[in-house]
Amino acid sequence: MVVHVFKTPEELAQAAAMVFAAQIAKKPDTVLGLATGSTPVGTYRELARLNRLGLIDFSEVRTYNLDEYIGLEPTHDQSYRYFMNDNLFNHINIKMENTHVPCGTGADHWADARAYDEAVEAAGGIDLQLLGIGHNGHIGFNEPNDKFIYGTNIVKLTRSTIDANKIYFPTEDDMPKEAISFGIGGIMKAKAVILLALGKGKAQAIHDTVHGEIDPKCPASILKAHPNTIIMVDEAAGSML
Ligand code: PGA
């Protein structure tokens, strides 16, 4: 695990986008694992800019997102499919059919979870996995737990996550309390992982990830056992390192 601390979120976004550019230059049909939330927005903006300049070509790239709320249609403006289209896919030359977000509205969520893992396997696995981190150390929606959950799974969101994300919904009652999330096993199988964190609210989780024991109570701590993980933080998120 290597840790880079950046002075500003803009510098972090530029550096993170460069990691993606290098990966896609090396393997044009790269399989990306992508994340939602406020943290990657600057990186997505930078990727769109580099794509406009002709410096990254997404035409053969395939993507698999980490998670989706249970019960939100892809057209809902707080669904993660909507977020990805709005923040990235509509601004780059990716083929929409090559983009994948777990389905949160199927009849059998566990069947959808298994199918998602099979689809990622069939695509050859994730080459580069982008992650944010929750205040509680979650990655994807893999919340603190007594054990690490291997496969894509259906998760009950914790109070910490509900508090962090309810601001995007008219009221807390409108926010789904369950999600479908790519599992820790899928993340750990990625050939490379890049975890981004911004702001003081993430300082404890970053500290526990980098300096704590590997412990499912801080799901991101498992990344210590990953052979190729880069953690990029701004000074606030890195303030407890
Ligand atoms: P955030 O969410 O980027 O909106 O802080 C990150 C996460 O919960 O993984």
Side-chain angles (χ1 to χ4, degrees):
M1 167 184 280
V2 289
V3 183
H4 295 284
V5 182
F6 294 87
K7 282 220 167 324
T8 65
E10 292 73 25
E11 285 174 30
L12 180 150
Q14 284 166 8
M18 280 304 149
V19 174
F20 281 85
Q23 170 62 37
I24 294 166
K26 192 169 70 182
K27 185 178 179 226
D29 63 347
T30 283
V31 179
L32 295 177
L34 295 179
T36 51
S38 59
T39 308
V41 168
T43 301
Y44 290 157
R45 203 175 297 127
E46 183 63 10
L47 288 175
R49 192 181 73 84
L50 294 175
N51 184 232
R52 263 196 315 280
L53 293 173
L55 299 174
I56 306 185
D57 177 13
F58 286 91
S59 61
E60 293 179 52
V61 168
R62 292 157 295 158
T63 70
Y64 289 85
N65 259 78
L66 283 167
D67 42 24
E68 180 59 281
Y69 288 114
I70 295 291
L72 291 197
E73 294 291 341
T75 49
H76 189 288
D77 67 3
Q78 289 309 324
S79 77
Y80 286 160
R81 161 53 77 179
Y82 187 99
F83 175 101
M84 289 308 301
N85 290 354
D86 199 35
N87 284 284
L88 185 65
F89 300 149
N90 287 344
H91 309 288
I92 59 175
N93 70 329
I94 200 162
K95 296 187 184 85
M96 266 310 171
E97 66 268 27
N98 287 344
T99 71
H100 306 87
V101 178
C103 172
T105 51
D108 182 343
H109 300 312
W110 285 100
D112 289 339
R114 279 193 299 279
Y116 201 70
D117 286 334
E118 283 163 15
V120 171
E121 284 288 320
I126 305 286
D127 291 306
L128 177 60
Q129 175 69 59
L130 176 64
L131 298 174
I133 185 169
H135 297 95
N136 60 7
H138 75 201
I139 46 178
F141 269 138
N142 296 287
E143 299 281 38
N145 203 330
D146 295 334
K147 55 187 189 308
F148 291 108
I149 307 288
Y150 191 79
T152 295
N153 61 109
I154 312 305
V155 185
K156 279 203 187 326
L157 301 179
T158 59
R159 177 42 53 194
S160 160
T161 299
I162 294 168
D163 284 344
N165 289 8
K166 69 184 182 191
I167 53 168
Y168 300 112
F169 293 85
T171 71
E172 184 177 320
D173 287 346
D174 297 305
M175 179 183 162
K177 307 298 182 303
E178 284 186 313
I180 177 168
S181 178
F182 197 46
I184 296 290
I187 292 170
M188 289 298 282
K189 277 197 280 183
K191 295 175 190 75
V193 174
I194 173 170
L195 182 148
L196 310 181
L198 298 173
K200 201 146 188 58
K202 302 294 173 67
Q204 183 71 51
I206 289 296
H207 169 273
D208 295 351
T209 299
V210 175
H211 293 306
E213 299 288 310
I214 294 178
D215 183 344
K217 295 267 185 286
C218 175
S221 65
I222 191 79
L223 295 171
K224 277 211 191 63
H226 190 280
N228 189 11
T229 288
I230 308 175
I231 297 195
M232 293 185 172
V233 298
D234 67 357
E235 288 188 337
S239 60
M240 291 174 69
L241 289 175

